[in-house]
Amino acid sequence: DGGITQSPKYLFRKEGQNVTLSCEQNLNHDAMYWYRQDPGQGLRLIYYSQIVNDFQKGDIAEGYSVSREKKESFPLTVTSAQKNPTAFYLCASTGMGLIEQFFGPGTRLTVL
Amino acid sequence: AQSVTQLDSQVPVFEEAPVELRCNYSSSVSVYLFWYVQYPNQGLQLLLKYLSGSTLVKGINGFEAEFNKSQTSFHLRKPSVHISDTAEYFCAVRIPMDTGRRALTFGSGTRLQVQP
């Protein structure tokens, strides 16, 4: 079955540590996205990538970094510069000719 | 820039009763409109979308939504809810002319709580 996988499902981080969240898709989509979800705030765009080896900042990119070395993969690194990283992180993708985005199951990050 | 307002953060309703979840948007250009559903600790699943044409859109799980251009609204409705409809619902917009970023702008969500 085609879809988007995210790992791990739950992640715990100590303050000052960088952590990397994985996102993989086998839908052959060209564009991939990372959103952050906080209670009562909906989803906010962190980074997006339209093509391999290229990505752009979204609305809340500070404290995050990404890479897009392969079409199927778009990992997100939450750095120690992110002041309030505890949140639910969602990866999404879309393809040429598609209108909607498809979402992965999410990763819940908790800073201890 | 566009924005989405979901007027109710929580909507409690009894099983088999009808429900309406409200969504208003702001945009200076035409938009695509979406409703997504999120079950606890899961990703988002598309319920329905409006691109153009008929203003009444039918989606999965018996949901439908009506696009009202003059009111800039896209309210979601279901005539009879089930316990299994308990979830968070998100309204979102996308600008058709934005063929580059293709990102969605989301509302803050409405938690639907169906009670027996």
Side-chain angles (χ1 to χ4, degrees):
Chain A
D1 282 339
I4 302 174
T5 57
Q6 292 186 241
S7 62
K9 187 172 178 64
Y10 298 96
L11 186 57
F12 298 90
R13 189 194 94 173
K14 294 181 180 179
E15 285 192 19
Q17 284 183 336
N18 292 357
V19 289
T20 298
L21 284 58
S22 169
C23 176
E24 304 274 335
Q25 54 99 0
N26 61 3
L27 300 167
N28 199 33
H29 287 172
D30 58 309
M32 297 186 74
Y33 304 79
W34 275 104
Y35 292 91
R36 170 180 170 140
Q37 183 179 10
D38 295 282
Q41 293 193 45
L43 280 69
R44 293 179 290 167
L45 183 64
I46 305 172
Y47 266 98
Y48 64 101
S49 168
Q50 302 295 311
I51 194 170
V52 174
N53 292 323
D54 189 38
F55 48 83
Q56 286 78 40
K57 293 181 179 180
D59 303 318
I60 56 164
E62 185 176 353
Y64 300 98
S65 66
V66 294
S67 63
R68 186 88 186 274
E69 297 177 359
K70 299 185 299 181
K71 187 176 184 178
E72 316 82 69
S73 178
F74 191 41
L76 173 74
T77 296
V78 184
T79 75
S80 56
Q82 170 50 235
K83 298 305 180 188
N84 185 21
T86 294
F88 193 52
Y89 290 87
L90 288 157
C91 179
S93 69
T94 192
M96 294 303 293
L98 296 175
I99 304 299
E100 68 268 33
Q101 291 185 2
F102 296 79
F103 285 82
T107 292
R108 186 167 297 281
L109 173 63
T110 303
V111 174
L112 303 174
Chain B
Q2 63 278 9
S3 65
V4 178
T5 301
Q6 292 185 241
L7 299 163
D8 306 296
S9 60
Q10 295 189 51
V11 173
V13 63
F14 287 107
E15 194 173 18
E16 297 183 6
V19 71
E20 178 179 84
L21 306 184
R22 297 181 292 169
C23 172
N24 287 86
Y25 68 93
S26 174
S27 175
S28 58
V29 297
S30 62
V31 295
Y32 295 139
L33 291 153
F34 308 84
W35 275 100
Y36 282 86
V37 61
Q38 183 182 37
Y39 300 102
N41 289 312
Q42 294 186 27
L44 275 64
Q45 179 184 5
L46 182 68
L47 274 178
L48 47 79
K49 61 188 176 187
Y50 172 79
L51 307 183
S52 65
S54 174
T55 57
L56 184 63
V57 180
K58 294 191 181 297
I60 63 171
N61 300 342
F63 284 94
E64 64 181 31
E66 185 157 19
F67 171 58
N68 187 320
K69 188 174 182 179
S70 62
Q71 300 289 325
T72 61
S73 68
F74 190 54
H75 300 335
L76 181 70
R77 302 185 182 104
K78 187 169 183 178
S80 176
V81 295
H82 303 290
I83 295 288
S84 58
D85 292 323
T86 295
E88 186 135 23
Y89 292 79
F90 290 95
C91 182
V93 301
R94 184 193 140 182
I95 305 299
M97 292 186 294
D98 175 16
T99 56
R101 178 165 147 149
R102 291 180 279 168
L104 301 177
T105 299
F106 286 87
S108 56
T110 297
R111 184 170 300 278
L112 177 63
Q113 298 167 311
V114 182
Q115 303 165 1

